[in-house]
Amino acid sequence: MRFFLIPIILILIQCQSQPYEFSESSSSEILKTLSSDEMRGRQAFTEDIDKAAEFINEQFKEIDLDKLDSESDYLQNFEVLSIRAVNADVEIEGVQVSAENYFVLGDTSTIEWAETNEIKTEHIAAGENFQQRFNEIRSMDVEAFVFVDQSHENTFRRYQPFFSRASRTFPDDQSSNKIFALTSKSQQSSFSAYVTKEYDFLELANVVGKIEGNRKDEYVVFSAHYDHIGIRQPNTANADSIANGANDNASGTTAVIELAKYFKSKGKPERTLLFVAFTAEESGGYGSQYFSKQLEPDQIMAMFNIEMIGKPAVEGPNTAWITGFEKSSFGELLQKSAEGTIYEFYPDPYPNQNLFYRSDNATLARLGVPAHTISTTPIDVDPDYHQVSDEFETINVVHLTNTIRAISQAAVGIVSGQDTPTRVDASQLN
Ligand SMILES: [Zn+2]
């Protein structure tokens, strides 16, 4: 009998290994580092964000997460292409169109449209819906010269400065050249255009760790964007200029790291868990867009996107809200799992703010994934939102830690494979 007893005792000891306990000291330490002045506001497309990526990478390494691919670290590196039209000469009936009356969209190739060229023409006529026509023409797969009727001048004046700046796109997603010109001339007029382009490859990186589950190909994503808005113009000479983004979104990133520790301590889960820190949420959403293309959306069972959980919600302490609550059964499942705990989840109280569409969850939701954002900050009145005052000192660390713990409890059903939220109907989204 003794011979058999020893392995049984060993197994019992293993089973009793305690899961990771969330603590205010741990969340506060991570939050403090991510929102420190050394991180300089973690703006994507600047080198300031690299420090934050490296810190999260080190955290994932310490937790000993699996890697998504066979890479040497947890950085999911990718490139965005920046394209800008320079040295342009655009003419209609031999008369030069002034710079404020046209803009160029398209890929890296030079434009050389002589008057004799048979380039397709389009017309946004008086009375047509400018935005709708613009989107139609923009998505066409051919080169086109677009005559915009002068009755659209006001709208055109809003679009022109925006689209005259460098445009950013994924290298694979380039569209063909199009020139939009505000003119009183008809679509039958002759035109010519000579435009050279300047372009640059910009480096970005998400940070992604994994805990492989028994159901290898059923993913549950815990995510938060780790970038912020960087350095702002100071109001006075000695004023603070670093937008530290403690709440937005060092708080969510802290949650992702703490949740990774917790689930790692629980042993092999039923579903595969992904812990993702997204880049460039504040600068075009490129991080979540790239990430969404690396996986089969049908294999992502749910996405817990976490944003701004450093301040208690209007409904009181120990509550959080979920964006797009009615778009899948995700929220109800969280409510069910949280029953009997001190914490409560409820639908987003700010529907007019369109928060469902204002974070990385929307990218995945558009692919049908039950992808929702969990948040607690009264965003309509928060004085620190996107300000240099979004500092560590404004964060309620007790609330932050309670919220992270609550998310870990509310996720139990989905992580264990017992619960599967319904899919989002992408055709119903904006
Ligand atoms: Zn944010």
Side-chain angles (χ1 to χ4, degrees):
M1 286 301 280
R2 280 190 70 160
F3 180 79
F4 289 104
L5 249 174
I6 293 163
I8 288 168
I9 288 167
L10 277 176
I11 288 166
L12 279 174
I13 289 168
Q14 271 184 354
C15 289
Q16 280 167 356
S17 81
Q18 291 291 313
Y20 174 74
E21 282 200 35
F22 296 103
S23 70
E24 282 142 35
S25 61
S26 181
S27 20
S28 137
E29 199 182 307
I30 298 169
L31 184 72
K32 209 173 208 167
T33 307
L34 283 169
S35 59
S36 65
D37 280 356
E38 283 80 74
M39 297 282 176
R40 293 175 53 83
R42 309 183 305 276
Q43 188 174 11
F45 299 108
T46 74
E47 60 186 25
D48 292 334
I49 197 171
D50 297 349
K51 244 185 203 169
E54 196 38 53
F55 171 74
I56 301 162
N57 182 53
E58 283 301 317
Q59 293 284 316
F60 283 4
K61 196 193 285 179
E62 243 167 69
I63 302 167
D64 194 26
L65 293 178
D66 305 323
K67 296 180 181 87
L68 187 58
D69 310 306
S70 52
E71 282 166 5
S72 57
D73 56 24
Y74 299 95
L75 299 185
Q76 185 176 57
N77 294 298
F78 61 97
E79 282 179 334
V80 169
L81 183 59
S82 162
I83 309 168
R84 202 162 72 90
V86 289
N87 301 326
D89 175 30
V90 178
E91 294 185 9
I92 296 176
E93 303 221 307
V95 179
Q96 196 166 42
V97 182
S98 58
E100 70 273 15
N101 286 337
Y102 71 87
F103 58 87
V104 183
L105 301 184
D107 57 22
T108 56
S109 64
T110 302
I111 296 177
E112 289 182 340
W113 298 344
E115 291 208 5
T116 49
N117 268 3
E118 293 197 354
I119 296 294
K120 186 177 169 60
T121 59
E122 286 287 338
H123 190 204
I124 304 185
E128 286 189 302
N129 180 327
F130 183 90
Q131 192 186 349
Q132 191 187 332
R133 288 283 292 135
F134 173 80
N135 288 334
E136 267 168 31
I137 296 167
R138 193 185 184 189
S139 60
M140 291 185 331
D141 206 13
V142 290
E143 295 191 312
F145 192 93
V146 187
F147 292 80
V148 179
D149 186 86
Q150 285 195 311
S151 61
H152 293 294
E153 178 163 2
N154 286 344
T155 321
F156 187 90
R157 294 264 168 262
R158 282 192 280 117
Y159 277 54
Q160 197 274 342
F162 182 81
F163 287 105
S164 295
R165 291 204 293 260
S167 68
R168 287 169 180 162
T169 174
F170 288 108
D172 298 343
D173 284 355
Q174 294 181 55
S175 61
S176 36
N177 281 316
K178 294 179 184 75
I179 296 178
F180 289 77
L182 185 69
T183 174
S184 55
K185 296 282 191 286
S186 81
Q187 192 179 353
Q188 279 69 44
S189 310
S190 67
F191 63 90
S192 67
Y194 298 89
V195 183
T196 52
K197 307 277 184 76
E198 238 172 38
Y199 62 94
D200 251 326
F201 286 93
L202 311 173
E203 310 270 340
L204 290 177
N206 296 321
V207 195
V208 187
K210 179 171 93 168
I211 303 175
E212 192 168 283
N214 294 322
R215 302 184 204 172
K216 230 173 135 215
D217 298 327
E218 288 188 14
Y219 297 102
V220 179
V221 176
F222 295 92
S223 64
H225 73 87
Y226 73 97
D227 70 305
H228 192 56
I229 55 172
I231 308 293
R232 304 274 99 178
Q233 196 68 26
N235 295 332
T236 55
N238 293 319
D240 187 6
S241 63
I242 301 173
N244 300 73
N247 194 21
D248 185 11
N249 189 24
S251 69
T253 310
T254 300
V256 168
I257 295 169
E258 287 292 287
L259 288 166
K261 288 183 195 169
Y262 172 77
F263 283 111
K264 180 73 185 180
S265 74
K266 301 256 291 174
K268 190 166 187 163
E270 183 60 22
R271 285 182 164 140
T272 293
L273 311 182
L274 296 180
F275 301 91
V276 189
F278 287 125
T279 187
E281 188 268 355
E282 307 278 12
S283 321
Y286 296 102
S288 51
Q289 287 175 48
Y290 182 82
F291 172 82
S292 73
K293 292 175 187 179
Q294 311 311 308
L295 291 170
E296 200 54 64
D298 292 350
Q299 295 180 343
I300 305 177
M301 299 296 119
M303 178 191 201
F304 294 74
N305 190 54
I306 308 165
E307 271 260 20
M308 300 178 69
I309 55 166
K311 294 176 183 178
V314 277
E315 256 73 357
N318 296 320
T319 66
W321 37 265
I322 296 166
T323 65
F325 195 93
E326 72 294 345
K327 297 184 197 309
S328 83
S329 63
F330 176 88
E332 286 164 39
L333 292 174
L334 263 62
Q335 286 179 328
K336 192 188 78 178
S337 287
E339 265 170 35
T341 73
I342 58 160
Y343 211 95
E344 232 179 293
F345 292 89
Y346 60 95
D348 169 13
Y350 309 104
N352 294 338
Q353 295 263 356
N354 268 323
L355 297 173
F356 182 77
Y357 295 102
R358 280 172 54 188
S359 190
D360 291 311
N361 65 290
T363 303
L364 282 285
R366 289 201 173 89
L367 301 171
V369 178
H372 301 261
T373 292
I374 299 169
S375 187
T376 66
T377 300
I379 190 144
D380 55 340
V381 292
D382 182 46
D384 306 315
Y385 176 65
H386 281 205
Q387 304 296 321
V388 294
S389 58
D390 184 0
E391 307 251 15
F392 174 77
E393 288 69 25
T394 68
I395 301 299
N396 181 332
V397 178
V398 175
H399 164 74
L400 170 69
T401 311
N402 285 345
T403 304
I404 300 170
R405 187 183 297 109
I407 294 171
S408 79
Q409 291 166 338
V412 164
I414 294 173
V415 169
S416 71
Q418 226 168 49
D419 294 333
T420 303
T422 54
R423 308 296 291 174
V424 165
D425 180 356
S427 71
Q428 298 301 306
L429 301 187
N430 299 343

